[in-house]
Amino acid sequence: MTTQLIAAPTEEPVTLSELKSYLRVTHTDEDVSIARIGMAARHALEMRTGVCFVSQQWRMERDCAPNGPLKLPRSPVSSVDLVAVLNDAGSFEAVPSADYDYTLGVAARLTQSGYWPQPASSLSGIRIDFTAGWADAASVPAALKQAVLSLGAHFYEHREAASAERVFKIPESIDALMAPYKDVQL
């Protein structure tokens, strides 16, 4: 199974001015760097937790149809946009929506409920496109925005990942902010 981003978010959960205010930066000399730090903080937190902060589209490719419920790897899922199978002509053919069931939200799952043709390839022959994340920046929970601000500040203050004296890691306070949103596997 592989997962790839096919449409990045069109906005950040924390604006440049919000991040600059949190950092107590009043000049514009570092605006490009600070904006990049905010995006990097969001991305790092998303990859660490599997939680998408703002709406974005993902593609999951599988070798075969799911044998039982398949958990979608990002959350919260707001829509399943496409389920397709690779045909003999080398293109992906959409599976009718009547032939699969799914649930949305934090623990989104998809399962086969009807006939799916056999994929023409035994590798990456099934494609599932879905949208995950809150609809817009205003809908992102305050704790997640605070995590972006805190990690952004950490990145701003510690521009090098490590030094001879100290190895840096994500502060535990950020893990505490993210804990309610992490998907714990049992």
Side-chain angles (χ1 to χ4, degrees):
M1 175 183 82
T2 61
T3 305
Q4 65 181 345
L5 180 67
I6 57 175
T10 58
E11 62 181 329
E12 292 297 322
V14 173
T15 66
L16 174 62
S17 61
E18 289 170 325
L19 185 52
K20 284 178 65 175
S21 175
Y22 190 77
L23 297 172
R24 297 185 180 108
V25 173
T26 56
H27 57 80
T28 59
D29 299 349
E30 297 181 284
D31 280 5
V32 172
S33 293
I34 293 171
R36 220 178 284 132
I37 285 170
M39 288 182 354
R42 176 204 35 94
H43 183 71
L45 292 168
E46 287 178 338
M47 293 301 105
R48 186 178 180 104
T49 62
V51 174
C52 296
F53 290 17
V54 183
S55 187
Q56 47 199 271
Q57 284 190 300
W58 285 85
R59 171 170 293 151
M60 178 171 58
E61 290 185 349
R62 294 179 44 86
D63 298 337
C64 59
N67 184 14
L70 169 69
K71 184 181 178 311
L72 297 178
R74 299 282 184 261
S75 73
V77 173
S78 58
S79 67
V80 173
D81 307 318
L82 172 74
V83 175
V85 176
L86 185 66
N87 63 25
D88 291 331
S91 60
F92 281 88
E93 185 176 320
V95 172
S97 59
D99 291 336
Y100 58 91
D101 292 324
Y102 58 89
T103 61
L104 301 176
V106 175
R109 294 172 299 155
L110 180 135
T111 190
Q112 182 177 354
S113 63
Y115 172 76
W116 291 19
Q118 186 68 24
S121 171
S122 61
L123 299 174
S124 299
I126 305 288
R127 179 175 283 175
I128 302 166
D129 292 353
F130 61 96
T131 302
W134 282 268
D136 53 35
S139 303
V140 177
L144 298 180
K145 289 183 179 188
Q146 182 60 48
V148 172
L149 290 169
S150 297
L151 187 57
H154 179 77
F155 286 168
Y156 184 78
E157 293 297 323
H158 303 90
R159 304 220 183 169
E160 298 298 324
S163 69
E165 299 83 32
R166 180 175 170 192
V167 174
F168 297 101
K169 65 176 191 153
I170 292 179
E172 289 179 19
S173 60
I174 295 170
D175 279 336
L177 289 167
M178 297 301 298
Y181 300 93
K182 288 183 181 178
D183 182 28
V184 178
Q185 301 292 324
L186 299 177

